[in-house]
Amino acid sequence: MRTFIAIDVNDSVREVAQKSVDKLMKRGFRANWVSRENVHLTLFFLGEVSRKQIDEVAEHLCHRVRGFPSFSFTVEKLGYFAKANQPRVIWLGVKSNQNLQKLYEEMKAELLKHNFSFEERFSPHITIGRVKDFPNAWQALTEDITFEPIVVAVDRFSIYSSQLLPTGPIYKRVYECRFEGGLVKHE
């Protein structure tokens, strides 16, 4: 199954994501927009993985981060990844955070033991859209989309399966690992 590991966000972040998407759509951006209920911070995209591998890696990851201290991160701005001066991905930016980086590094070390590979650089962000078409002066049209910083509390991560459909992806939580409470399997 197509799988990723993520941190869920709160309703304030979901609301800002939706308001930002609404503004961008009105300004002529066309994209595969992330639905409100699917907004999250991806830690790792694992790709196509067998159920057995997911069961094993969930157990190992949860054991590795057991006792990891709860922390928070701040969502602070709208941004984008561009290529050849064309926007590709629009996101909500996550302020650099030592605890988030440490969690990523711990999980990365465990995933490497299980022969997973992924991008070397961790650039925390919350994707809200993958751009298909955009208006002229697109950069200027993103600059005035601002919001008050939002603090997101973190005491767990989740492993999701992702089913791609013409109407958009369907995410299903497969596992949830609480730093202090252990592993919860979802059916």
Side-chain angles (χ1 to χ4, degrees):
M1 70 181 120
R2 194 168 183 270
T3 311
F4 64 92
I5 301 172
I7 294 173
D8 294 319
V9 297
N10 56 34
D11 284 338
S12 297
V13 174
R14 285 186 184 92
E15 187 174 318
V16 161
Q18 189 61 57
K19 287 180 178 175
S20 299
V21 165
D22 292 346
K23 287 177 184 175
L24 291 163
M25 287 171 68
K26 286 177 184 165
R27 294 173 183 187
F29 286 84
R30 286 196 15 241
N32 288 335
W33 301 111
V34 176
S35 65
R36 180 185 170 99
E37 65 273 7
N38 284 349
V39 173
H40 63 273
L41 169 62
T42 301
L43 294 172
F44 299 94
F45 177 72
L46 303 180
E48 293 290 333
V49 182
S50 74
R51 182 59 193 235
K52 183 176 185 275
Q53 282 178 295
I54 291 302
D55 292 345
E56 287 175 12
V57 83
E59 194 71 42
H60 288 280
L61 282 173
C62 201
H63 179 75
R64 177 131 190 170
V65 301
R66 187 166 290 133
F68 197 89
S70 297
F71 64 95
S72 61
F73 63 82
T74 304
V75 179
E76 61 180 358
K77 64 182 177 183
L78 181 94
Y80 50 83
F81 295 131
K83 187 174 181 180
N85 201 31
Q86 296 182 355
R88 296 287 184 217
V89 175
I90 298 179
W91 44 256
L92 302 179
V94 174
K95 186 175 180 182
S96 179
N97 179 301
Q98 192 173 5
N99 289 318
L100 181 59
Q101 186 67 39
K102 178 72 174 150
L103 176 64
Y104 174 84
E105 294 297 332
E106 286 293 324
M107 294 174 77
K108 177 180 172 182
E110 191 63 39
L111 288 167
L112 287 172
K113 286 184 190 178
H114 296 273
N115 299 316
F116 286 99
S117 61
F118 26 78
E119 289 182 32
E120 275 304 306
R121 195 168 154 265
F122 179 48
S123 178
H125 63 280
I126 298 165
T127 298
I128 62 171
R130 287 177 174 42
V131 180
K132 290 179 169 292
D133 194 20
F134 53 92
N136 292 331
W138 63 270
Q139 288 169 309
L141 293 172
T142 64
E143 290 172 3
D144 70 334
I145 299 176
T146 60
F147 53 89
E148 290 296 314
I150 303 166
V151 175
V152 177
V154 180
D155 65 356
R156 68 193 68 196
F157 67 86
S158 295
I159 300 175
Y160 285 92
S161 67
S162 170
Q163 184 181 7
L164 300 179
L165 300 174
T167 55
I170 295 178
Y171 299 156
K172 182 179 174 192
R173 182 179 285 129
V174 180
Y175 281 101
E176 179 179 67
C177 176
R178 299 178 183 131
F179 300 158
E180 295 298 332
L183 191 61
V184 177
K185 186 174 183 176
H186 294 263
E187 290 303 322

